[in-house]
Amino acid sequence: ILSEKEALATEELSKRREQILAIEVVSVVEGHITAVVPYGIMVSIDGVEALIPQEEISWDEQEISQILSEFEVGQTLKAEVLSVDEELGKVQLSLKSVTADPWKELSKAYGTGDTAKGIVTKITSYGIFVNLPKTSIEGMIALSSLPEDIKLAIGGSLPVKITLIDAAKKQLDLV
């Protein structure tokens, strides 16, 4: 009986190793979410568990708990394979790698000095946050640079001028 259990365990280990060896680094794979955990997302790729660490989930800078709340167990997604550790049986994935970097998209669509009609997304005591068309990036306008009599509402349109795009610092300044 013991040797039968050992044989089954060895066979299972061998099968798992073959599945892991079939996963190629830099390939795009499809899998199903098996768990959403504080450090990332667990995904099953044809029976092999893989991890999308939190820094590889989204380009967005919002709180990781907010980002993770957008994902559900059972959801299907595509991700790029970052690494495969055959010895440990670990596979690491990236969602960011299969989506465009919004800062590169912003730099393609706009340059310093360009004007656009943005959408007000947030109003704070120090400034107005505005989302530019064709991007998912928000820029800030300091309250001191706005006329005192301006009426603003979240969701409202506001003409803006781009004064700085710094993709490295992830900074977009508007007036």
Side-chain angles (χ1 to χ4, degrees):
I1 296 175
L2 185 59
S3 62
E4 191 176 317
K5 283 184 179 178
E6 285 176 0
L8 284 172
T10 304
E11 186 180 318
E12 196 174 301
L13 214 59
S14 176
K15 185 179 176 184
R16 180 169 165 70
R17 187 167 199 274
E18 284 177 30
Q19 288 174 314
I20 289 172
L21 288 172
I23 299 171
E24 295 180 31
V25 174
V26 209
S27 64
V28 175
V29 295
E30 187 173 286
H32 294 43
I33 296 175
T34 58
V36 179
V37 291
Y39 51 87
I41 300 171
M42 300 302 297
V43 178
S44 176
I45 308 162
D46 297 326
V48 175
E49 279 294 309
L51 171 67
I52 304 172
Q54 63 183 23
E55 65 273 6
E56 290 296 329
I57 294 173
S58 174
W59 293 102
D60 201 334
E61 294 290 315
Q62 57 181 304
E63 193 66 34
I64 189 65
S65 60
Q66 288 177 312
I67 294 169
L68 288 173
S69 70
E70 297 172 14
F71 297 92
E72 296 178 357
V73 171
Q75 182 179 342
T76 302
L77 46 77
K78 289 184 180 183
E80 182 177 305
V81 179
L82 292 182
S83 65
V84 177
D85 186 327
E86 296 167 22
E87 275 186 40
L88 296 175
K90 293 187 175 184
V91 178
Q92 191 171 30
L93 306 174
S94 172
L95 280 177
K96 284 171 50 172
S97 296
V98 295
T99 58
D101 179 346
W103 287 94
K104 286 182 182 173
E105 296 298 308
L106 175 73
S107 296
K108 285 181 194 173
Y110 298 100
T112 301
D114 285 353
T115 58
K117 274 202 184 265
I119 304 296
V120 176
T121 56
K122 188 174 8 174
I123 301 171
T124 67
S125 59
Y126 53 89
I128 308 298
F129 289 83
V130 177
N131 188 291
L132 294 178
K134 301 184 229 166
T135 74
S136 61
I137 305 289
E138 282 182 333
M140 190 193 84
I141 303 172
L143 280 181
S144 58
S145 67
L146 291 170
E148 286 186 31
D149 62 342
I150 193 164
K151 301 283 187 210
L152 296 170
I154 293 176
S157 179
L158 182 67
V160 296
K161 181 177 181 181
I162 299 169
T163 58
L164 173 73
I165 298 175
D166 187 338
K169 292 182 181 177
K170 297 187 175 171
Q171 182 178 349
L172 172 63
D173 290 347
L174 307 168
V175 292

